[in-house]
Amino acid sequence: MALCRFRSASSLISKFLPPSNTLRSFSSETQSVKEKIMNYMAHLDINSQIGSCMPLAAMRIGTIIHNIEVNPGQGGKLVRSAGNSAKILKEPTGRYCLVRLPSGDEKLIDSKCRATIGSVSNPSHKMKKLRKAGQSRWLGRRPVVRGVAMNPVDHPHGGGEGRSKSSGSHGRTSLTPWGKPCKSGYKTASPKKRK
């Protein structure tokens, strides 16, 4: 494997090196070779770069990416779960780059932020079925009990005779066990982040 890599690297360098009979200074020669290799790498097919991590500014429009940073140098925060990917929608020429996330949202992300080319592996993860309740416990997931099935002391939805919704008085919104509204269009994201 190492021999194969060495041969391909030597063939790549020999492609750009000038003939041996020309006499030039060594520093200018190496600099021109370096520039030629950089130009060659810039025009490579994007499929050969799958798995490489680079700033969004260095990527082209329509590139499929994952593991995206929100702030430069912070580390990947977005699009990291199994089988997910995002897409660059606009050419990242300015300070921001427009990216479509798996949820369908389009988000402006700083062009200096880094991302990995390609999609996350294991897309069949969501198809996997658990055989029994114990298998879910092996994964560290505890049982989920509905609030309606509890007593009034345990949950705002608890109590009442039979299956009464919202603890007897109809028209109340769904609440968390701590009494905060949830579901029914209750907004939790800050107005700045919604844009």
Side-chain angles (χ1 to χ4, degrees):
M1 185 70 185
L3 181 64
C4 179
R5 278 192 195 143
F6 177 73
R7 282 183 184 161
S8 63
S10 62
S11 66
L12 181 69
I13 290 169
S14 65
K15 201 187 284 186
F16 298 110
L17 281 174
S20 57
N21 58 0
T22 58
L23 296 170
R24 290 184 196 161
S25 68
F26 183 71
S27 61
S28 66
E29 190 175 297
T30 53
Q31 193 171 2
S32 66
V33 169
K34 191 175 179 182
E35 286 173 10
K36 285 180 183 176
I37 290 174
M38 290 302 285
N39 288 338
Y40 179 75
M41 294 298 277
H43 294 94
L44 273 176
D45 184 28
I46 204 75
N47 290 334
S48 64
Q49 297 180 3
I50 286 175
S52 22
C53 182
M54 58 180 77
L56 292 172
M59 296 182 193
R60 285 181 269 175
I61 190 168
T63 307
I64 301 294
I65 54 174
H66 68 278
N67 194 30
I68 309 164
E69 289 181 333
V70 178
N71 299 315
Q74 191 181 32
K77 295 279 185 269
L78 304 174
V79 194
R80 303 194 315 174
S81 63
N84 269 344
S85 64
K87 189 175 184 180
I88 296 177
L89 296 180
K90 278 190 183 171
E91 200 73 47
T93 49
R95 183 167 176 223
Y96 292 101
C97 175
L98 187 66
V99 175
R100 180 182 288 134
L101 301 174
S103 62
D105 286 352
E106 294 176 0
K107 192 172 171 77
L108 284 171
I109 298 173
D110 196 330
S111 295
K112 292 181 214 154
C113 290
R114 295 166 71 86
T116 309
I117 295 174
S119 61
V120 189
S121 66
N122 198 13
S124 61
H125 173 72
K126 60 184 173 191
M127 311 295 185
K128 187 178 172 187
K129 283 205 166 98
L130 302 178
R131 297 189 310 273
K132 56 183 191 172
Q135 194 169 357
S136 160
R137 296 306 301 269
W138 300 339
L139 299 171
R141 297 177 191 151
R142 301 206 61 233
V144 177
V145 181
R146 295 165 301 129
V148 177
M150 296 181 189
N151 292 322
V153 71
D154 300 316
H155 199 282
H157 296 174
E161 295 295 321
R163 293 187 184 180
S164 59
K165 213 169 182 191
S166 311
S167 67
S169 60
H170 296 290
R172 279 187 63 191
T173 59
S174 298
L175 303 170
T176 66
W178 302 276
K180 288 190 176 178
C182 61
K183 298 185 179 176
S184 62
Y186 184 69
K187 303 286 186 286
T188 54
S190 67
K192 287 181 192 171
K193 299 214 172 174
R194 257 186 248 149
K195 290 177 184 177

